[in-house]
Structures are given as structure tokens and as C-alpha cells.
Amino acid sequence: QKEVEQDPGPLSVPEGAIVSLNCTYSNSAFQYFMWYRQYSRKGPELLMYTYSSGNKEDGRFTAQVDKSSKYISLFIRDSQPSDSATYLCATPGGGADGLTFGKGTHLIIQP
Amino acid sequence: NAGVTQTPKFQVLKTGQSMTLQCAQDMNHNSMYWYRQDPGMGLRLIYYSASEGTTDKGEVPNGYNVSRLNKREFSLRLESAAPSQTSVYFCASSEDYSNQPQHFGDGTRLSIL
């Protein structure tokens, strides 16, 4: 079982919709979680950094951690075509040093 | 703000050639990392440097060497390139080697023929 799992998509939604992106993780000891956005031919860009359970909001973005179900989510409100990118969840936990990444979800916002 | 700068952005090599990928950060971070990103495999850690003067292997170190030249710079060397090393290479840095988020460069796209 992979330590961090993500549906690769693509996920296609109309402009203005609320987007929900999700990851599951296997180890209940993980406490820190990150969301990165990666545009084509660019490096991952840090969007959100959360600790433990609960919600964190930053503009149109909300990160949510549910430790009881080992589920992390990123919500995007009022989605824009410029939000079209691959979204990666990551945690510094895991068997590997550095960050353990999900494989990313490809999001397409249709104008 | 430059953040993490990687050079070159693109490179094509022949099998057996050697090459060094350069990375520099201007955020005064202590820790630096090299990842490779392949379709269907995601990002995988090659080597990391938790602090100046130290380096350690990550998940996929075979065929690579690294040098932490100073606090700002961390280079990745392919001594004898193989087609399996065709990938996009990302350098990242973080304040320290704990639970801090990492900041990435825009990558080097490397093709080995």
C-alpha cells in the first residue's frame, strides 16, 4: 500500500465551481500535510501547509485534515481557468526521507 | 525573489556522458534536496543535505552523486548517464530538516539518448 494515495484524474469542472481534491494516507502518525500546485513545465509551488486536524483557509483555498479517516482535502472556491494544474499532496512522514508525495491530480477548469 | 534556481533548464546527453546539475537557493535555508519526477512514479528523493557539510541517500540514489558546495549550493552529478535517468530533476530547499515545507526550483529536463 502506498503511503499517500491520490486519484490522478483528470478532473474537469466548469469555471466558478467548487473543486474538491483529496488524498488518503496510511500512517496515523503523520501530522504535517502540504498541498502543492504544479503547472506544466514548472516546479511544485507550495499552496497550503497544515498541522494535525482541522481546517486552514487562505483566500479561495481551504485545506482540511481528517485524522480519524486519514483523509486530507483541498477545496478551491470560485475556480478559475488559471487554477488548471496538477495538485500534489505531501507529508514529511513516511518511510522515505524528505517529503512523501501523492502522484498528483490533474485539474482542468473549463471556461 | 529568485528562491531556488536550477541550471541548465534542458539538456540532452548521450549514454555514458557525465553531467552536473546545479542548484542554488537564496532563502538562507539549511536543508536541500534533489528529486526526480517521472510519469506514473511521482516525485522521488535522490539525495538530500540536512545541513551544510552533510549528505545522505534518498529513495533512488544509484547512479548519482551530490556535493553540498556551501549553504547556498547543492549539485547533482551523473557520472555515466543511462537512458533510465531520462527525467525531470527538481531541487528543493527548506529551513531545516524537520517538518518544514520545501520550496522547489523549476526543474532540469534531461534526456539521455
Side-chain angles (χ1 to χ4, degrees):
Chain A
Q1 181 186 6
K2 291 289 186 182
E3 293 189 293
V4 180
E5 300 264 20
Q6 258 184 292
D7 185 332
L11 175 63
S12 183
V13 301
E15 182 177 356
I18 296 174
V19 175
S20 173
L21 300 165
N22 306 296
C23 285
T24 58
Y25 61 94
S26 59
N27 191 332
S28 57
F30 295 169
Q31 295 191 74
Y32 295 85
F33 302 94
M34 299 152 200
W35 282 98
Y36 286 86
R37 176 176 63 195
Q38 186 174 22
Y39 291 115
S40 180
R41 297 189 170 274
K42 291 290 190 178
E45 171 194 5
L46 180 69
L47 274 180
M48 302 287 279
Y49 173 50
T50 58
Y51 169 71
S52 195
S53 286
N55 292 358
K56 181 175 181 179
E57 188 173 320
D58 184 359
R60 296 185 296 113
F61 298 90
T62 300
Q64 186 176 80
V65 178
D66 182 346
K67 295 205 75 179
S68 63
S69 57
K70 291 184 277 188
Y71 203 78
I72 57 177
S73 301
L74 179 71
F75 299 98
I76 307 174
R77 293 184 298 280
D78 187 24
S79 56
Q80 305 293 314
S82 59
D83 295 326
S84 298
T86 297
Y87 289 80
L88 302 146
C89 58
T91 177
D97 297 298
L99 294 175
T100 299
F101 283 88
K103 292 183 179 179
T105 299
H106 182 43
L107 174 66
I108 301 168
I109 307 298
Q110 300 171 331
Chain B
N1 293 334
V4 178
T5 303
Q6 292 184 238
T7 55
K9 295 188 186 308
F10 307 94
Q11 186 69 48
V12 178
L13 294 177
K14 294 181 179 178
T15 297
Q17 287 185 316
S18 61
M19 170 161 195
T20 299
L21 280 60
Q22 307 287 353
C23 174
Q25 53 90 9
D26 63 2
M27 295 174 283
N28 200 35
H29 285 171
N30 289 305
S31 303
M32 298 184 74
Y33 312 81
W34 278 104
Y35 291 86
R36 60 178 290 175
Q37 187 175 38
D38 303 289
M41 300 295 293
L43 281 153
R44 294 180 292 168
L45 185 68
I46 305 171
Y47 268 94
Y48 67 97
S49 172
S51 61
E52 187 178 356
T54 69
T55 61
D56 283 287
K57 295 177 181 179
E59 183 184 355
V60 289
N62 291 345
Y64 305 96
N65 285 300
V66 290
S67 295
R68 184 74 183 266
L69 304 170
N70 48 55
K71 190 173 184 178
R72 291 186 63 247
E73 298 173 289
F74 189 37
S75 62
L76 178 71
R77 182 162 178 84
L78 286 70
E79 290 291 351
S80 179
S84 60
Q85 294 177 305
T86 292
S87 188
V88 182
Y89 291 85
F90 289 102
C91 178
S93 70
S94 63
E95 283 189 32
D96 55 44
Y97 187 71
S98 60
N99 298 308
Q100 295 299 310
Q102 296 175 17
H103 302 269
F104 287 78
D106 278 338
T108 293
R109 282 155 185 79
L110 185 61
S111 292
I112 316 292
L113 304 178

